[in-house]
Amino acid sequence: MSLLAELQRSFCDGLRTADAPDGALLEMLQDDDLARQRFQVYRNNFIVLNGDALADMFPVVKRLVGDEAFRMLATAYVRQHPPRDRTLLLYGDLFADFLQTIPELSGLPYLTDVARLEFTWTAAYHAADAFPLQPDQLQNLSEEAFAKLQLRVHPSLQLLASDFPIHRIWSVNQSDDQDELISLDEGACRLIVVRPDNEVQVRVVSEGEFEFVRQLMASATIGEAFEATNQTDPQFDLGQFFSRHLFDGTFCAM
Amino acid sequence: METMQASGRAPAPVPIRAGAGLKPQHYQSVIEDQPDIGWFEIHPENYMGKGGPPLRYLEKIRQDYPISLHSVGTSLGSHLPLDREHLQQLKSLVDRFEPGLVSEHLSWSHGYEWYTHDLMPLVYTEESLQVMVEHIEQVQEYLQRQILIENPSSYLQFKASEMPEQVFYVEAAKRSGAGLLVDVNNVFVSCTNHGWNIDDYLSEIPIELIGEIHLSGHSVQQVEGRTLRIDDHGSPVCSEVWSLYQAFISQFGLAPTLIEWDSNIPEFPQLLEEVSSAQSLIDAVAETEVRNVVTG
Amino acid sequence: MKKTSTSALVAGAITTALALSPVGVANAADTEKCFGVAKAGKNDCAAGPGTSCAGTSTTDAQGNAWMLVLKGTCEKIVGGSLAEK
């Protein structure tokens, strides 16, 4: 192995380990009695900069567990899952799963889903733009043709279901001064996260709306999706759903 | 700012004026107030999403200002090959936003299959130099343009280094045909951290290669009775660095000069003040140069 | 029979939506000023802010063994399975 490769790998090992850096690495540094501390600056930067990116991605998780606990979790995550992308825009894709593995968090069963919602929000924020479906694209179709249409959902759109009232938890924890009591007895929620234009929207939806969009995303035609949805939620009101969302950017141009 | 291109955009070339690092916290101020700043610099990695607000803000601001792309993710000094996908993303930003300048660091951030997202120090050997030169050439060829290379702030040195940083730095640019982005704060930080002589460092730099200058604040920490300067871009430029900058532009001539402020980000007016301070020094040197021409 | 009723229902829903839709919906690209939340960019070339001092300490404060103390707004979340704790 070349000296450059050896040195860079050894440097990376030293950045990532929670233990003291390897003696062989310190041997490669000019020794003015401060070699260890000098290397520690890089170790710290690696943990702090990537940990800050997580804090930015998961502000609600941070509020829920507190700053100190979040910093510890972030540090452990950075070491376990160092960034795989050239950018930090979507760093933290495995954070929700990671939280599930931490025994001390077992008393906060909703935390993983809250983290998923926060990641989904940022993913929608950076997702591709798309022109919304326009009324004139549907104007000249026959009644028969409507049911056979395949609608394209906006590229930012994602579905999220949780057994916990994560939308309430997420909403009231948007600022630091949250002091509302939330009961987990409020129960499950289903969400659609989408950025039709500039603003990311987190919508609480019914079982039927959720299922209908899920079917459309799986390439069902409107007719097929509607029929499948009726099986799970006979209350689903297609007229109301389309009146609100057919042309609001939830769907994009065909 | 007054002269628009046919595309309805400010011209591409970055003027020999003071500019500022563009922070999302300041988007609204910049769009609404149209401050009298020569240009803005961005990190392309923050605009590599597929879409969304960041690209729209940048599109809007680019209408009124020239911009410079200052990359942090290329990892030019890495033993691993350059990442094709990252280069493509960089190229598409270059094509879309027509930056006046494109730059990267004399550094690496890719040692395994993961990224440090922090600028790591190089060992200054002939081997690293060849890697560096090869990677700069690949980027320049891919982008079809010259890039500038910035000297790093560093906190440690490797025993195996065969030459001083400034020799490595200038040689990398000369062999690859790149230009230099001289970060005056980094020169100060590294020289004081390692006990190098600042004049020796600067004496290696060929005037004709300088394409841009960076200025920023750093923090000072005591470690076991010794001072270590940390390049955190979180405060105003310190007086020593202002003096060094003034001496530098008097000796080497003027270049577009950027104020970087990336942590403890201030309200926009305070950033503007720093930019004005740099602009005043630029104006003073420009005036002297004019006088010298007239009387000379 | 089922097929007809589905396509009639779908057609009805879309016709209603068409009737309600405003003429000339503004496109994303047309919006002039507000581009939504300006989320902080995360990549930069600065060293870790402020907290770097922790980095220069000789011992790593946080090694493999760590203890989480939860001190956040999770205290405000009650009921459900938490009651069993």
Side-chain angles (χ1 to χ4, degrees):
Chain A
M1 193 171 20
S2 75
L3 170 74
L4 186 65
E6 186 191 347
L7 202 146
Q8 291 181 337
R9 287 185 188 166
S10 162
F11 208 90
C12 283
D13 291 337
L15 291 178
R16 195 175 164 182
T17 178
D19 302 322
D22 195 54
L25 170 63
L26 295 178
E27 260 314 295
M28 292 196 264
L29 310 181
Q30 276 200 22
D31 186 18
D32 62 353
D33 304 331
L34 280 183
R36 191 189 151 80
Q37 290 86 335
R38 289 174 181 277
F39 181 67
Q40 189 67 19
V41 174
Y42 290 99
R43 262 162 79 87
N44 180 66
N45 283 346
F46 171 63
I47 295 296
V48 170
L49 295 171
N50 293 298
D52 284 352
L54 294 172
D56 199 65
M57 172 79 89
F58 302 103
V60 173
V61 171
K62 188 174 161 204
R63 284 195 186 98
L64 287 165
V65 300
D67 290 357
E68 198 185 321
F70 187 86
R71 187 50 72 185
M72 287 185 178
L73 291 165
T75 300
Y77 180 81
V78 171
R79 287 183 174 140
Q80 203 171 320
H81 303 284
R84 303 273 155 168
D85 279 347
R86 287 280 170 165
T87 85
L88 284 170
L89 297 177
L90 295 178
Y91 181 50
D93 52 334
L94 303 173
F95 194 62
D97 296 327
F98 165 81
L99 293 177
Q100 232 166 359
T101 68
I102 307 295
E104 289 99 320
L105 298 176
S106 61
L108 314 182
Y110 50 83
L111 197 64
T112 292
D113 287 350
V114 171
R116 255 185 246 295
L117 173 54
E118 295 202 276
F119 183 83
T120 304
W121 193 100
T122 302
Y125 182 83
H126 291 297
D129 298 314
F131 286 109
L133 180 67
Q134 300 286 337
D136 58 11
Q137 294 184 288
L138 301 181
Q139 227 111 37
N140 298 321
L141 295 176
S142 70
E143 287 208 354
E144 284 297 315
F146 282 138
K148 291 181 183 138
L149 276 179
Q150 279 184 314
L151 290 177
R152 263 196 332 131
V153 304
H154 192 279
S156 68
L157 190 144
Q158 289 167 88
L159 299 169
L160 200 63
S162 173
D163 291 337
F164 304 99
I166 57 165
H167 183 259
R168 269 263 289 157
I169 295 173
W170 177 81
S171 313
V172 304
N173 277 288
Q174 288 301 306
S175 70
D176 276 328
D177 47 15
Q178 124 75 0
D179 62 351
E180 255 182 80
L181 271 189
I182 300 170
S183 170
L184 291 186
D185 298 331
E186 288 177 30
C189 68
R190 288 182 186 75
L191 307 174
I192 287 179
V193 180
V194 61
R195 182 180 53 76
D197 187 9
N198 289 319
E199 302 287 349
V200 178
Q201 299 174 9
V202 180
R203 299 181 192 149
V204 181
V205 296
S206 70
E207 195 181 344
E209 289 170 319
F210 191 90
E211 178 60 18
F212 182 64
V213 173
R214 200 181 68 80
Q215 292 284 342
L216 293 178
M217 289 173 87
S219 304
T221 63
I222 298 177
E224 289 161 354
F226 178 66
E227 282 175 5
T229 303
N230 248 333
Q231 308 284 316
T232 45
D233 181 7
Q235 306 297 314
F236 175 61
D237 184 342
L238 183 66
Q240 191 185 56
F241 181 77
F242 272 169
S243 297
R244 285 187 195 153
H245 300 304
L246 189 56
F247 302 119
D248 75 348
T250 302
F251 301 101
C252 52
M254 293 187 291
Chain B
M1 264 171 63
E2 304 81 33
T3 47
M4 292 281 178
Q5 286 179 319
S7 61
R9 261 188 184 176
V14 168
I16 301 184
R17 292 185 58 193
L22 181 64
K23 307 309 288 183
Q25 292 86 334
H26 302 145
Y27 284 155
Q28 215 57 48
S29 299
V30 173
I31 290 170
E32 280 168 21
D33 305 344
Q34 305 250 321
D36 184 22
I37 286 184
W39 53 288
F40 284 102
E41 186 160 282
I42 59 142
H43 300 298
E45 284 72 15
N46 291 330
Y47 297 86
M48 286 181 178
K50 290 197 176 117
L55 289 159
R56 292 184 184 175
Y57 278 109
L58 188 59
E59 198 75 72
K60 174 72 184 150
I61 289 165
R62 177 66 185 88
Q63 285 175 11
D64 300 324
Y65 299 91
I67 62 162
S68 155
L69 294 192
H70 186 45
S71 189
V72 291
T74 313
S75 195
L76 294 173
S78 173
H79 72 276
L80 295 166
L82 296 180
D83 181 310
R84 231 36 206 175
E85 197 187 332
H86 181 260
L87 273 183
Q88 279 165 7
Q89 287 176 311
L90 188 59
K91 175 84 162 80
S92 74
L93 287 171
V94 167
D95 291 345
R96 178 166 173 187
F97 292 101
E98 305 173 294
L101 296 168
V102 178
S103 52
E104 243 299 353
H105 298 79
L106 192 77
S107 175
W108 62 279
S109 58
H110 189 203
Y112 285 109
E113 70 283 15
W114 49 275
Y115 304 94
T116 62
H117 289 295
D118 183 32
L119 303 171
M120 296 297 149
L122 271 169
V123 59
Y124 297 127
T125 60
E126 181 58 34
E127 184 206 357
S128 328
L129 185 55
Q130 280 174 20
V131 165
M132 193 75 203
V133 169
E134 207 174 290
H135 285 163
I136 297 173
E137 284 170 346
Q138 286 171 9
V139 173
Q140 293 187 139
E141 192 177 320
Y142 195 85
L143 299 181
Q144 286 294 298
R145 61 185 291 159
Q146 188 197 40
I147 63 170
L148 307 175
I149 305 300
E150 180 182 347
N151 58 301
S153 267
S154 68
Y155 312 105
L156 58 77
Q157 302 177 77
F158 295 102
K159 281 180 187 163
S161 284
E162 296 158 0
M163 61 192 101
E165 178 176 293
Q166 62 271 25
V167 172
F168 184 98
Y169 176 44
V170 171
E171 196 58 24
K174 279 185 179 165
R175 288 196 205 171
S176 64
L180 299 177
L181 190 180
V182 179
D183 188 316
V184 174
N185 179 64
N186 288 357
V187 170
F188 183 75
V189 165
S190 294
C191 286
T192 49
N193 280 345
H194 302 308
W196 302 337
N197 182 296
I198 294 179
D199 292 335
D200 286 352
Y201 195 106
L202 295 179
S203 69
E204 284 294 328
I205 293 179
I207 290 182
E208 66 279 7
L209 291 189
I210 302 170
E212 183 183 339
I213 300 172
H214 272 187
L215 294 171
S216 64
H218 63 262
S219 64
V220 182
Q221 286 166 28
Q222 299 303 319
V223 182
E224 301 183 2
R226 294 267 302 279
T227 299
L228 213 48
R229 293 177 189 267
I230 311 282
D231 182 37
D232 61 7
H233 299 183
S235 55
V237 177
C238 71
S239 60
E240 292 103 316
V241 170
W242 278 126
S243 308
L244 189 57
Y245 172 64
Q246 189 173 23
F248 185 83
I249 54 175
S250 305
Q251 186 188 340
F252 291 86
L254 296 168
T257 300
L258 183 84
I259 301 289
E260 293 181 292
W261 201 323
D262 294 307
S263 58
N264 303 320
I265 295 169
E267 295 290 310
F268 194 60
Q270 198 185 347
L271 179 61
L272 262 182
E273 261 178 53
E274 289 282 286
V275 174
S276 307
S277 302
Q279 189 62 51
S280 304
L281 293 175
I282 292 174
D283 293 343
V285 169
E287 206 171 290
T288 318
E289 281 177 358
V290 169
R291 223 178 14 247
N292 288 347
V293 169
V294 172
T295 58
Chain C
M1 195 65 210
K2 186 92 191 334
K3 279 266 176 273
T4 348
S5 77
T6 295
S7 54
L9 259 162
V10 170
I14 291 182
T15 312
T16 311
L18 279 168
L20 291 173
S21 70
V23 193
V25 187
N27 273 340
D30 298 338
T31 332
E32 249 300 290
K33 230 173 197 178
C34 178
F35 301 106
V37 183
K39 227 173 135 47
K42 297 177 203 166
N43 276 101
D44 62 43
C45 49
T51 40
S52 311
C53 49
T56 51
S57 70
T58 43
T59 52
D60 194 341
Q62 195 191 320
N64 274 321
W66 41 282
M67 248 268 281
L68 273 189
V69 182
L70 303 177
K71 278 192 206 153
T73 55
C74 61
E75 289 162 15
K76 298 279 180 350
I77 296 169
V78 297
S81 57
L82 291 190
E84 297 156 21
K85 271 206 305 163

